[in-house]
Amino acid sequence: MFLRTELLRFRSYNPHQWYYVRFFILASLNYETYYSSLSYEKPRLDNLAGMDHEEVLPQASKVELAASTGDITLRTRSVSSSPSYQDEGDDGLHGYFETAQWTADGTTILTYSSSNLISGYIVPENLLSPTATRPLKLTPQATIQLPEPSNVLAGAPYFQLTEPWTQQLLVSSQDHPIQLYYLTSSSSPSPASCYPLTKVRSETFLSATSLIWPYPGTHFIAGSRNLLAKFDISRTGEEPLLRVKTIPSERHLSKGGGVGMRGTISSLSAQPPDAYNASLVAAGTWTRWVGLYDFAGSGGTCAATWSIAHASTEEAGIGGDGIIQTIWSPCGRYLLVSERKSTGILVYDIRVTGKLLGWLSGREARGNQRISCDVFPGQEGSGGFEVWSGTTDGAVKVWDGVGSCEGPHAPAWSWDAAQKSTVGSTCVHPSGTVVATCSGSWEFPDDNEEDEFLSQSNSGSTGSDNDSDSDVSSNEASWMRRRNKESSLKIWSMSNGDNEERREIENGHDQIPNPPE
């Protein structure tokens, strides 16, 4: 019955979108045959009462590793084991995965690595097949090597695997305009379009430090220092249609006179549109401010601004040193704010501006590295929604019923997704049946390892002519000897008995947007 229902639901799709249809038919068939034998029952929300002060036990049985790239740093580790690797370019280090995100149609994963490489991984057709040898090997079908680091990466909201012209993405590098690329198999693709963002007085380029490209994809919004800019995607080479300053004046002695929010826009997120296609944009800054802006009209009106410093430090006690992500709940009522050097995520009810509803505890993100979380609608009748996030110790944690209670909210369950390496991104597939994670980071040797390395490197150096070289090497040894932790892209399949219920929740939410005419 479930497979028949899925086939009827897909009749409304374009017949040319065969890959996407086949992927979900296989997913439905495999879950019907394979997971029917599982008797695990997900804990109800009422059984989690009082968990805020209980230890969260890992439950790896809920997920199963379906596909992986493997550790992309293994090749470099064998080289970096000897001191000679210091003579190689880029310190002999291999790039690690920083971010990952699903495309709009759910068929491809876009990743960005520390080596400025953008990759596109198409989901294998037999990802959920019970007869497949797991984990399947993930290989990129398309790559884009950027000449310089990019602050942002945003895929087109009308991305479709069967339509090459829709496979677009936006990036932004320092001292360059915002650039649009096509995700092709070309070895050295060039930008297809450019969108300059410059200072009015000096005409120097402003770097887009955050960017969103919401549906239907005709416009995108970029954030910079004390500025939000709205672009028309069809106006190549032109300045933004609208500039919204987050403070009245940068030249005033009081920097805006206490009005608005001052700082670099580090995060942007669009609220799910309502019945009238109205949506607010949430902007977060490195100075720990949040602002809500309405770009549905022509003015980009500021609806509200507030500081999260007191709520994060005094009320929740989770710390923080600058916002790295703002993300809306599936219903659009709640706003989640996460910071670097923090141990939790703040939860706000936007119906009461600036009033902290609660916070998600137990999310270790004590470093400067970005750690992105994702949300998913909660099960019917349970209340609230789900939040999935990685940590700096390699675990992925899940919070159930977010928004249904005040105060601290402990994670319901977790599993180890990496070997003590930072999980930078956790993104749930629109169907809710698979989850993608990417991990990677650098580590530095402790004092004992550093002393051992210096004694070995200086054992062959004799004479006064080598004294200065030894001093330089000892000063630089700590930085030059940084090494990679495990870095991989993984796809996990949900292995509990609520997959059918999760897919039913998403009926009506996972439709592929049609490209604008």
Side-chain angles (χ1 to χ4, degrees), residues 68-203:
S68 173
T69 59
D71 191 351
I72 64 174
T73 67
L74 287 178
R75 179 187 61 185
T76 306
R77 287 178 181 175
S78 60
V79 177
S80 62
S81 59
S82 62
S84 61
Y85 83 94
Q86 295 185 15
D87 298 332
E88 300 180 5
D90 197 22
D91 300 336
L93 291 175
H94 195 73
Y96 62 85
F97 289 112
E98 290 187 352
T99 63
Q101 57 183 271
W102 290 99
T103 56
D105 62 349
T107 61
T108 308
I109 302 176
L110 300 178
T111 64
Y112 179 78
S113 67
S114 60
S115 59
N116 310 331
L117 181 66
I118 299 175
S119 304
Y121 294 84
I122 299 178
V123 176
E125 295 183 5
N126 58 340
L127 178 69
L128 301 177
S129 173
T131 60
T133 303
R134 298 189 177 186
L136 301 175
K137 182 66 175 179
L138 290 176
T139 56
Q141 280 69 36
T143 58
I144 300 175
Q145 181 63 60
L146 300 179
E148 295 184 5
S150 174
N151 298 317
V152 295
L153 171 62
Y158 44 79
F159 188 105
Q160 296 184 32
L161 191 62
T162 57
E163 300 291 342
W165 72 270
T166 65
Q167 300 171 14
Q168 305 169 352
L169 52 89
L170 291 171
V171 298
S172 175
S173 301
Q174 188 174 2
D175 298 327
H176 286 78
I178 301 172
Q179 298 173 332
L180 184 143
Y181 283 87
Y182 281 91
L183 194 66
T184 64
S185 57
S186 174
S187 58
S188 57
S190 57
S193 303
C194 293
Y195 305 91
L197 178 60
T198 60
K199 290 184 179 181
V200 177
R201 297 178 181 273
S202 61
E203 296 185 355

Side-chain angles (χ1 to χ4, degrees), residues 58-373:
Q59 298 185 21
S61 60
K62 284 192 172 187
V63 295
E64 179 183 0
L65 182 59
S68 173
T69 59
D71 191 351
I72 64 174
T73 67
L74 287 178
R75 179 187 61 185
T76 306
R77 287 178 181 175
S78 60
V79 177
S80 62
S81 59
S82 62
S84 61
Y85 83 94
Q86 295 185 15
D87 298 332
E88 300 180 5
D90 197 22
D91 300 336
L93 291 175
H94 195 73
Y96 62 85
F97 289 112
E98 290 187 352
T99 63
Q101 57 183 271
W102 290 99
T103 56
D105 62 349
T107 61
T108 308
I109 302 176
L110 300 178
T111 64
Y112 179 78
S113 67
S114 60
S115 59
N116 310 331
L117 181 66
I118 299 175
S119 304
Y121 294 84
I122 299 178
V123 176
E125 295 183 5
N126 58 340
L127 178 69
L128 301 177
S129 173
T131 60
T133 303
R134 298 189 177 186
L136 301 175
K137 182 66 175 179
L138 290 176
T139 56
Q141 280 69 36
T143 58
I144 300 175
Q145 181 63 60
L146 300 179
E148 295 184 5
S150 174
N151 298 317
V152 295
L153 171 62
Y158 44 79
F159 188 105
Q160 296 184 32
L161 191 62
T162 57
E163 300 291 342
W165 72 270
T166 65
Q167 300 171 14
Q168 305 169 352
L169 52 89
L170 291 171
V171 298
S172 175
S173 301
Q174 188 174 2
D175 298 327
H176 286 78
I178 301 172
Q179 298 173 332
L180 184 143
Y181 283 87
Y182 281 91
L183 194 66
T184 64
S185 57
S186 174
S187 58
S188 57
S190 57
S193 303
C194 293
Y195 305 91
L197 178 60
T198 60
K199 290 184 179 181
V200 177
R201 297 178 181 273
S202 61
E203 296 185 355
T204 57
F205 283 113
L206 295 173
S207 299
T209 53
S210 55
L211 189 146
I212 54 170
W213 195 356
Y215 180 80
T218 56
H219 299 82
F220 67 89
I221 301 172
S224 186
R225 180 174 177 79
N226 303 326
L227 179 68
L228 293 171
K230 181 179 181 180
F231 289 84
D232 188 333
I233 197 69
S234 64
R235 298 189 177 186
T236 303
E238 296 187 14
E239 291 281 344
L241 297 176
L242 176 66
R243 292 172 181 257
V244 178
K245 294 183 178 180
T246 59
I247 56 175
S249 174
E250 296 183 18
R251 302 175 65 88
H252 193 273
L253 293 178
S254 59
K255 301 296 184 181
V259 179
M261 62 178 187
R262 175 177 177 264
T264 300
I265 308 298
S266 57
S267 174
L268 289 173
S269 61
Q271 183 185 31
D274 58 15
Y276 301 97
N277 205 29
S279 173
L280 292 176
V281 172
T285 69
W286 290 126
T287 55
R288 311 180 75 182
W289 277 78
V290 175
L292 302 181
Y293 294 85
D294 183 10
F295 283 91
S298 59
T301 307
C302 177
T305 59
W306 70 90
S307 173
I308 67 169
H310 182 270
S312 179
T313 305
E314 302 297 334
E315 296 184 45
I318 59 177
D321 188 28
I323 297 174
I324 58 176
Q325 185 185 19
T326 57
I327 183 171
W328 294 86
S329 64
C331 63
R333 297 178 182 176
Y334 306 99
L335 179 65
L336 278 66
V337 181
S338 63
E339 294 187 272
R340 58 186 179 184
K341 297 183 179 181
S342 175
T343 60
I345 302 176
L346 301 178
V347 182
Y348 286 92
D349 188 338
I350 64 166
R351 293 171 294 183
V352 184
T353 304
K355 178 65 175 179
L356 181 66
L357 176 66
W359 60 93
L360 309 182
S361 59
R363 187 248 198 176
E364 293 78 12
R366 300 180 183 275
N368 287 321
Q369 187 173 346
R370 283 181 178 266
I371 297 180
S372 301
C373 64

